[in-house]
PDB file of all heavy atoms in Angstrom:
ATOM      1  N   VAL A  17      24.807  87.473  46.167  1.00 98.00           N
ATOM      2  CA  VAL A  17      24.397  86.907  44.878  1.00 98.00           C
ATOM      3  C   VAL A  17      25.294  85.713  44.517  1.00 98.00           C
ATOM      4  O   VAL A  17      24.822  84.614  44.193  1.00 98.00           O
ATOM      5  CB  VAL A  17      24.298  88.041  43.735  1.00 98.00           C
ATOM      6  CG1 VAL A  17      24.163  87.326  42.431  1.00 98.00           C
ATOM      7  CG2 VAL A  17      23.346  89.024  44.025  1.00 98.00           C
ATOM      8  N   TYR A  27      14.555  97.321  54.953  1.00 98.00           N
ATOM      9  CA  TYR A  27      13.827  98.633  54.998  1.00 98.00           C
ATOM     10  C   TYR A  27      14.978  99.665  54.657  1.00 98.00           C
ATOM     11  O   TYR A  27      16.134  99.493  55.274  1.00 98.00           O
ATOM     12  CB  TYR A  27      13.208  98.807  56.320  1.00 98.00           C
ATOM     13  CG  TYR A  27      12.379 100.115  56.408  1.00 98.00           C
ATOM     14  CD1 TYR A  27      11.159 100.299  55.860  1.00 98.00           C
ATOM     15  CD2 TYR A  27      13.073 101.239  57.008  1.00 98.00           C
ATOM     16  CE1 TYR A  27      10.482 101.455  55.896  1.00 98.00           C
ATOM     17  CE2 TYR A  27      12.289 102.384  56.850  1.00 98.00           C
ATOM     18  CZ  TYR A  27      11.027 102.504  56.258  1.00 98.00           C
ATOM     19  OH  TYR A  27      10.340 103.762  56.324  1.00 98.00           O
ATOM     20  N   THR A  48      16.876  87.271  38.913  1.00 97.00           N
ATOM     21  CA  THR A  48      17.072  86.890  40.363  1.00 97.00           C
ATOM     22  C   THR A  48      18.046  87.783  41.030  1.00 97.00           C
ATOM     23  O   THR A  48      18.868  88.485  40.235  1.00 97.00           O
ATOM     24  CB  THR A  48      17.630  85.333  40.382  1.00 97.00           C
ATOM     25  OG1 THR A  48      18.938  85.426  39.658  1.00 97.00           O
ATOM     26  CG2 THR A  48      16.655  84.423  39.748  1.00 97.00           C
ATOM     27  N   LEU A 104      22.706  88.502  58.050  1.00 98.00           N
ATOM     28  CA  LEU A 104      22.158  89.899  58.500  1.00 98.00           C
ATOM     29  C   LEU A 104      23.376  90.743  58.248  1.00 98.00           C
ATOM     30  O   LEU A 104      24.326  90.793  58.903  1.00 98.00           O
ATOM     31  CB  LEU A 104      21.816  89.756  59.960  1.00 98.00           C
ATOM     32  CG  LEU A 104      21.646  91.169  60.643  1.00 98.00           C
ATOM     33  CD1 LEU A 104      20.484  91.996  60.077  1.00 98.00           C
ATOM     34  CD2 LEU A 104      21.476  91.145  62.088  1.00 98.00           C
ATOM     35  N   ASP A 143      34.054  88.952  50.113  1.00 98.00           N
ATOM     36  CA  ASP A 143      34.484  87.578  50.592  1.00 98.00           C
ATOM     37  C   ASP A 143      33.777  87.101  51.717  1.00 98.00           C
ATOM     38  O   ASP A 143      33.310  85.959  51.933  1.00 98.00           O
ATOM     39  CB  ASP A 143      35.986  87.563  50.734  1.00 98.00           C
ATOM     40  CG  ASP A 143      36.654  87.722  49.537  1.00 98.00           C
ATOM     41  OD1 ASP A 143      36.193  87.517  48.484  1.00 98.00           O
ATOM     42  OD2 ASP A 143      37.970  88.198  49.545  1.00 98.00           O
ATOM     43  N   THR A 165      29.792 103.241  58.080  1.00 98.00           N
ATOM     44  CA  THR A 165      29.451 104.141  56.959  1.00 98.00           C
ATOM     45  C   THR A 165      30.650 104.356  55.887  1.00 98.00           C
ATOM     46  O   THR A 165      30.313 104.240  54.723  1.00 98.00           O
ATOM     47  CB  THR A 165      29.214 105.535  57.587  1.00 98.00           C
ATOM     48  OG1 THR A 165      28.160 105.425  58.505  1.00 98.00           O
ATOM     49  CG2 THR A 165      28.629 106.580  56.477  1.00 98.00           C
ATOM     50  N   HIS A 263      44.948  91.960  64.201  1.00 98.00           N
ATOM     51  CA  HIS A 263      43.709  92.478  63.634  1.00 98.00           C
ATOM     52  C   HIS A 263      42.609  91.501  63.906  1.00 98.00           C
ATOM     53  O   HIS A 263      42.770  90.263  63.638  1.00 98.00           O
ATOM     54  CB  HIS A 263      43.862  92.789  62.098  1.00 98.00           C
ATOM     55  CG  HIS A 263      42.498  93.217  61.588  1.00 98.00           C
ATOM     56  ND1 HIS A 263      42.105  94.456  61.726  1.00 98.00           N
ATOM     57  CD2 HIS A 263      41.721  92.648  60.755  1.00 98.00           C
ATOM     58  CE1 HIS A 263      41.007  94.594  61.059  1.00 98.00           C
ATOM     59  NE2 HIS A 263      40.564  93.484  60.484  1.00 98.00           N
ATOM     60  N   ASP A 375       1.653 126.361  74.879  1.00 92.00           N
ATOM     61  CA  ASP A 375       2.039 125.041  75.457  1.00 92.00           C
ATOM     62  C   ASP A 375       1.803 123.940  74.570  1.00 92.00           C
ATOM     63  O   ASP A 375       1.860 122.713  74.841  1.00 92.00           O
ATOM     64  CB  ASP A 375       1.356 124.771  76.761  1.00 92.00           C
ATOM     65  CG  ASP A 375       1.615 125.665  77.819  1.00 92.00           C
ATOM     66  OD1 ASP A 375       2.944 126.189  77.791  1.00 92.00           O
ATOM     67  OD2 ASP A 375       0.885 125.929  78.581  1.00 92.00           O
ATOM     68  N   SER A 427       5.895 106.839  54.934  1.00 97.00           N
ATOM     69  CA  SER A 427       6.632 105.451  55.066  1.00 97.00           C
ATOM     70  C   SER A 427       6.966 105.229  56.576  1.00 97.00           C
ATOM     71  O   SER A 427       6.785 104.196  56.906  1.00 97.00           O
ATOM     72  CB  SER A 427       7.988 105.658  54.416  1.00 97.00           C
ATOM     73  OG  SER A 427       8.601 104.453  54.339  1.00 97.00           O
ATOM     74  N   VAL A 476      -6.351 104.120  57.327  1.00 98.00           N
ATOM     75  CA  VAL A 476      -6.625 104.976  58.572  1.00 98.00           C
ATOM     76  C   VAL A 476      -8.068 104.681  58.927  1.00 98.00           C
ATOM     77  O   VAL A 476      -8.385 104.497  60.248  1.00 98.00           O
ATOM     78  CB  VAL A 476      -6.059 106.372  58.479  1.00 98.00           C
ATOM     79  CG1 VAL A 476      -6.611 107.162  59.691  1.00 98.00           C
ATOM     80  CG2 VAL A 476      -4.636 106.493  58.294  1.00 98.00           C
TER      81      VAL A 476
END
Side-chain angles (χ1 to χ4, degrees):
V17 170
Y27 183 82
T48 58
L104 163 66
D143 293 337
T165 307
H263 177 74
D375 295 329
S427 184
V476 171

